[in-house]
Every structure is written in structure tokens, then in C-alpha cells.
Amino acid sequence: MPYVWHGKLSFTHMPVYSPQAWKAEGSTQQDLMLPGVVVPSSGLPQVERGTLCAVTLLGNRAPVAVAVATMSTAEMLAAGMKGKGFAVLHTYMDHLWEYGDKSYPPTLAPLVTDSAEKESAEDEEEMEGKEPVISFSTDPLQHVDIGDLSLKERDSCAIVVGKEELNENRAAETAEGANTEVQQEAEDSRTPQEQMDALFNQCFFHALKCKVKKSDLPLLTSTFLRSHMFPCCPAGQQLDIKKSSYKKFSKFLQCMQHQKILQVKELNKGVESIVEVDWKHPDIKAFTVPEGFSSASAAQDSKSEDREQVYHAPEIIPLYGVSTKMIPLFQESGHRKGSILSSSEVRNIVINYVKTNELVDETNKNFVKVNPILCDCLLDKSEQDEISNLRWDDLLSRCLERLQPLHQVTFFGQEPIVRKGNIEPIDITIAQRSSNKKVTIIKNLELYGLDPQRVANILQQKVQASATITPVPGTKDRVQVQIQGNQIHHLAKMLLEEYQLPRKYIQGLEKAPKLGRKK
């Protein structure tokens, strides 16, 4: 932009007004609409499609943006001056401007010769409550080098430059206030969904730039959202993926992966992790931390994050899928192969089936008579000739055993995930190493939304023993925590009391060393 201000780049110019025609500060790829274009008394300048134009504010010849015409002058007039006329390529205070010296637009006196146009523009400004009006300079002298000016013209230019220096602070304050209003208008004009999308993008880049380190990778996507993006959310706002256009956090990350900002992989079955981040990506480098988030506070948050972050245990619900063999029993209730049911739903369907077909034993209502469908679905071949009645509890347990096991996991702030099979428990084992030393090995932490690296760091601080992350033997891209000594007592306290995980999902707690006096 400084090259344009000092006349080193020359463009075709066209007068434009109305702040609503284009959002100025920090905008990228915004359209400039034809209703905002001012038609001078001398007529529109002749431009062709693809012609570059410079945007200026009324009262200042210093351009604040560069745009390209999307149609010729003739096409603009034929369209009745309606529709998109220009596509903005570069603006004052955008990412490209930030790579330069970040200077403010100089105050260059306007060279308006048509008094009628000046008068009309002043009237328009008064009607708009003296709002800044956007215009395109049409003066060919704008791009004349100062060396080509006469002595008189040089004196006039010196006076202009002197005024510019005197009014620099005032112009900066005025531009800042105007830009704040324009930015506020842009935010107000967006739909709630667009605002939530923008909030997710802001927190995403903020987290990558200030909170996530290379040593944190691989990083669970759930941990990234909960531990890194949530703390980056401005005060008074809340991230809600359902209110965005993505609907699911996995889709948001897929979008970022398509832009080659990061790479997401399924390191464990049904569990995605961020395995790579391109910190040299232009979008990450160009992101600036919003006001209210100082670099010092960001560093402090990063240091205290492990200590302050609250873990929420996932909600785990066992589910059942209708298998081929069980279709005859469930088809009367409208279910087919692959239908997913909870245990209570299975129980109700079986009870209704028994009552509808009058299978309750009349002599003893604790038993159910076995009809041909129940026989085929629930009895083994060796039992079909021997069993004619089943107790209610036996009937229901046999039914659940013959359905396909599934489970649903719901992590805090995320959509439920349904996986095949029963969830694997957190596996804790004790292994013997050289010199009769023992190590504690913990697997499957990722399945419960726990970051193995974070667990290793916490254990290392608590027991003052070396803790490392190692690959799980015989698997691809799966890791386990290994810490010196038998640390099951500390693990049990952390998993059961601090993380509130049910004991049934933890395997190996019985291997804790027996507490007693040392001899």
C-alpha cells in the first residue's frame, strides 16, 4: 500500500462512495457493489474488465485499497449500476499490509476541480452524519513524480506534507474510529452461523499460534478443542459447534486439513489425533492475537494449562445391533439388520413380543414359552429339543448375548460417537526390566479422551519418576505410557478420584503393591 500512496504504482481510478458498498478494515476478497459508485457529471471513466482501480476516502487522495473491475464501463451502465462492480484485492490493514512497515495512509489534499461534484459530495457527507465516504480518485496528477512539478507546485505539495505531519495523530485517531465502526457493521451484518464460524477460526488459529507446541503432537482432537481452543474464546462468548456451519468438530478439522494447515489421523480405532501442524502456513503466521490476550498471559496460560484444565469423563453407553440371526425376533417391531438399540429398548421389544404372542407360561408367570422364532434365535442346536421354557432373566440375557455389541461414547462438548464392539478398558500392567526393575505400562488412554503425554507429565511430577511415551508393540500409530516403578496406587487415585472414571473401565488395579511395613 505505501507504493500506491507514494505514486510508485499507477492504476485507473473511479469515484465511489457509501461505506456500506465495501467493508474497509482488514477485509479480504470483499465485493464492491455498483450502487456505491458515484457517477461524475463528466461520466464514468472508461475501464475494461480486469482494470485495476484504487479506492480512496473523500477528502484524502491516499488510496486505502486496490480493486479489479469485474465488468467494463459499458456493462456497468447497461446493468443500471447494480450488482458487483469490483473485487477488492488488497486493503489497508490487511495481511499484506502487516508484512510491510504498517504505516498509516498519508493525508493528501484532494484535487477536485468540479465545484458541483465537491458540493454534492459535501451534501452527501452531511446527510450521512459526516461518515467517511469511499471514493476513487480520478486526478491524473496523483501519480506525477514530485521531481516533475514546477516550483509553485512543489511549494503547494510541501504545504500539503506539512499539514499531513501536523494532522497525523488526528488522522490516525479518526481512521481508527472509522475502522472500528466499519468492523462493527461487518460483524452485525453477519448471520449467527457466520459469526460462530468466525469464532471457531479465531480460536483455532489462536490455539495453534500460542498454545500448541510441536512436543504436544500427536494431540487428541478432543483435547485440542477442550484444552486449547476453549481457553482462547473471548470473554462473554462460547464455542458451540452445533451453531456453526460445520455441525461437527471433525468436519471443521477436515476443512483445515484441506487447506494443509494440519494433518489428522485415526491413531486408535474411532479416535482422531492431530499428528502434524504447518506452523509456517501463511494463515497461522498472519494471525494476530486479539485484544485482551497479551503474549505474557498466553504464555502463562500455556504453563498452567495442565494444572488448571478440568477433565470430564466421557459418557459411555452400551448399545446393541440387530444381527442376521435375530431379525425374525425384531422385525415385528419394525427393526431390521443393523438397527441400533439400547438395553432398555431391547428389553421392551422382547416383553412386547412375548405378550403379543401370548407366550407367558400360564402356570408360572416367571417363565416364557419358547416358540419356533425364540427357539431359532436364542437356543443352540443341542438345546432345541430339551428346552421348552425360559425364565425372564435368562430370556433377556440370551437375547443381549446374541446381538452385535456396540457402544456410544460422548466426550464433553462433542457429538456422540458409536463404535463397534465393547470399549476396551484402560489396561495397566507391570513389566520386569533389567536389574530386576519394574515399570508400569498404561494403554488405551486415548479411548477415554485422555492425552497420554499429559498423563505422563502429571505422573512424572507426582511420583518423581521417569515417564515416557512409547509405541504399542504390534500396532500402528498407537502409544502407551511407561513409568518407572509400580505406580498403580497413584494411577488408581488419579483415574478413579480425580478423573471420576468408573472402575469397570480400568483393568489391572489389583496388581497394586501391598502396603505394609518395610523390613
Side-chain angles (χ1 to χ4, degrees):
M1 192 58 72
Y3 284 89
V4 184
W5 294 334
H6 295 93
K8 295 181 179 179
L9 296 177
S10 179
F11 302 107
T12 302
H13 304 273
M14 179 170 290
V16 172
Y17 71 93
S18 173
Q20 285 74 28
W22 167 68
K23 308 298 182 184
E25 180 184 351
S27 299
T28 55
Q29 299 182 359
Q30 294 292 318
D31 295 336
L32 187 61
M33 309 307 290
L34 286 177
V37 177
V38 177
V39 181
S41 58
S42 58
L44 286 174
Q46 294 299 317
V47 297
E48 297 296 331
R49 185 178 301 181
T51 301
L52 290 174
C53 304
V55 183
T56 63
L57 298 175
L58 188 66
N60 189 357
R61 288 187 296 113
V64 293
V66 176
V68 60
T70 59
M71 59 177 74
S72 65
T73 302
E75 291 172 332
M76 293 179 190
L77 296 174
M81 297 302 292
K82 293 182 179 179
K84 181 177 74 172
F86 302 88
V88 177
L89 302 178
H90 168 41
T91 70
Y92 160 62
M93 294 191 76
D94 65 1
H95 297 325
L96 181 59
W97 173 84
E98 291 178 351
Y99 278 103
D101 57 4
K102 298 184 180 180
S103 57
Y104 292 97
T107 304
L108 303 181
L111 298 175
V112 180
T113 58
D114 192 337
S115 59
E117 287 182 22
K118 184 190 297 183
E119 200 170 74
S120 174
E122 289 174 354
D123 292 341
E124 182 68 31
E125 188 175 14
E126 290 178 5
M127 291 176 63
E128 294 290 338
K130 298 193 181 295
E131 281 186 302
V133 180
I134 300 174
S135 65
F136 280 97
S137 174
T138 59
D139 183 18
L141 294 178
Q142 178 178 344
H143 305 292
V144 177
D145 188 82
I146 194 168
D148 298 332
L149 299 176
S150 64
L151 181 60
K152 184 177 181 180
E153 289 170 333
R154 290 186 187 181
D155 292 340
S156 299
C157 187
I159 293 173
V160 171
V161 173
K163 290 181 179 179
E164 172 190 336
E165 293 175 353
L166 292 173
N167 298 328
E168 182 176 353
N169 293 335
R170 186 183 301 173
E173 293 174 0
T174 304
E176 183 178 353
N179 288 332
T180 302
E181 292 178 3
V182 170
Q183 185 175 7
Q184 185 66 38
E185 287 179 9
E187 291 178 356
D188 294 341
S189 64
R190 294 181 301 179
T191 64
Q193 188 178 79
E194 290 173 341
Q195 292 179 22
M196 185 56 65
D197 287 351
L199 182 61
F200 261 91
N201 276 275
Q202 174 184 317
C203 296
F204 171 78
F205 287 111
H206 189 174
L208 289 183
K209 191 162 188 175
C210 300
K211 293 189 174 292
V212 180
K213 305 173 186 175
K214 191 173 182 180
S215 59
D216 295 333
L217 304 179
L219 178 65
L220 290 174
T221 57
S222 57
T223 303
F224 175 65
L225 175 64
R226 181 181 65 250
S227 304
H228 298 83
M229 286 184 62
F230 279 0
C232 294
C233 191
Q237 300 186 53
Q238 185 175 1
L239 289 172
D240 189 344
I241 194 65
K242 293 182 181 179
K243 293 182 181 179
S244 71
S245 62
Y246 305 100
K247 303 305 178 187
K248 293 184 178 181
F249 188 57
S250 58
K251 290 185 178 180
F252 172 78
L253 292 179
Q254 286 176 8
C255 179
M256 295 302 161
Q257 187 168 251
H258 290 327
Q259 299 178 34
K260 298 182 179 179
I261 298 174
L262 48 71
Q263 188 176 1
V264 178
K265 282 187 178 181
E266 189 174 325
L267 299 184
N268 209 339
K269 190 174 181 181
V271 181
E272 291 186 336
S273 299
I274 299 172
V275 296
E276 186 177 345
V277 176
D278 181 12
W279 274 283
K280 295 182 180 180
H281 194 280
D283 290 348
I284 298 179
K285 293 177 69 176
F287 178 80
T288 55
V289 178
E291 293 183 6
F293 290 95
S294 64
S295 57
S297 63
Q300 182 67 26
D301 290 343
S302 179
K303 291 179 181 179
S304 61
E305 180 181 339
D306 285 344
R307 183 176 65 255
E308 296 178 355
Q309 183 59 43
V310 178
Y311 169 77
H312 296 272
E315 181 184 4
I316 303 171
I317 302 175
L319 299 175
Y320 303 89
V322 178
S323 59
T324 304
K325 187 177 181 180
M326 300 293 285
I327 291 176
L329 180 57
F330 287 86
Q331 63 184 3
E332 287 188 11
S333 57
H335 297 284
R336 60 176 118 181
K337 181 182 178 182
S339 295
I340 299 176
L341 306 166
S342 65
S343 58
S344 60
E345 289 174 330
V346 172
R347 178 185 177 88
N348 292 334
I349 291 172
V350 173
I351 292 175
N352 290 336
Y353 176 84
V354 171
K355 291 182 178 180
T356 301
N357 292 274
E358 299 179 351
L359 298 178
V360 179
D361 194 327
E362 297 175 355
T363 58
N364 189 345
K365 293 186 178 181
N366 291 326
F367 286 86
V368 175
K369 292 183 289 186
V370 177
N371 67 354
I373 290 180
L374 292 178
C375 180
D376 293 338
C377 293
L378 305 180
L379 300 181
D380 296 332
K381 289 185 178 180
S382 59
E383 299 175 323
Q384 291 179 357
D385 295 332
E386 300 176 359
I387 298 177
S388 59
N389 294 319
L390 287 173
R391 293 183 63 89
W392 275 106
D393 55 352
D394 191 16
L395 174 71
L396 294 172
S397 62
R398 283 174 178 261
C399 186
L400 293 175
E401 289 173 0
R402 283 161 175 76
L403 292 171
Q404 181 183 5
L406 305 165
H407 67 276
Q408 175 182 288
V409 181
T410 306
F411 294 104
F412 178 74
Q414 298 190 42
E415 292 289 325
I417 302 172
V418 177
R419 302 172 184 156
K420 293 182 179 180
N422 295 313
I423 188 170
E424 296 180 58
I426 295 176
D427 185 29
I428 304 173
T429 56
I430 303 297
Q432 199 83 15
R433 293 293 184 257
S434 59
S435 303
N436 201 28
K437 292 183 179 180
K438 295 180 179 180
V439 294
T440 305
I441 300 173
I442 312 106
K443 304 177 184 176
N444 301 328
L445 291 170
E446 304 97 324
L447 297 177
Y448 297 84
L450 289 168
D451 186 357
Q453 184 64 59
R454 183 168 179 267
V455 171
N457 293 341
I458 294 175
L459 282 174
Q460 185 170 343
Q461 293 175 3
K462 285 188 175 183
V463 303
Q464 295 298 306
S466 175
T468 58
I469 302 295
T470 59
V472 177
T475 63
K476 293 183 179 179
D477 301 324
R478 291 185 61 178
V479 296
Q480 61 187 13
V481 176
Q482 180 174 298
I483 185 167
Q484 289 182 353
N486 188 330
Q487 309 297 346
I488 294 182
H489 277 304
H490 295 283
L491 266 172
K493 184 176 181 180
M494 183 171 67
L495 297 176
L496 296 176
E497 298 179 14
E498 296 180 22
Y499 293 162
Q500 298 292 311
L501 284 169
R503 182 178 288 269
K504 63 180 178 180
Y505 296 125
I506 304 173
Q507 176 179 287
L509 294 179
E510 69 280 357
K511 299 173 185 175
K514 295 181 180 180
L515 298 177
R517 294 182 180 179
K518 294 182 179 179
K519 295 182 180 180

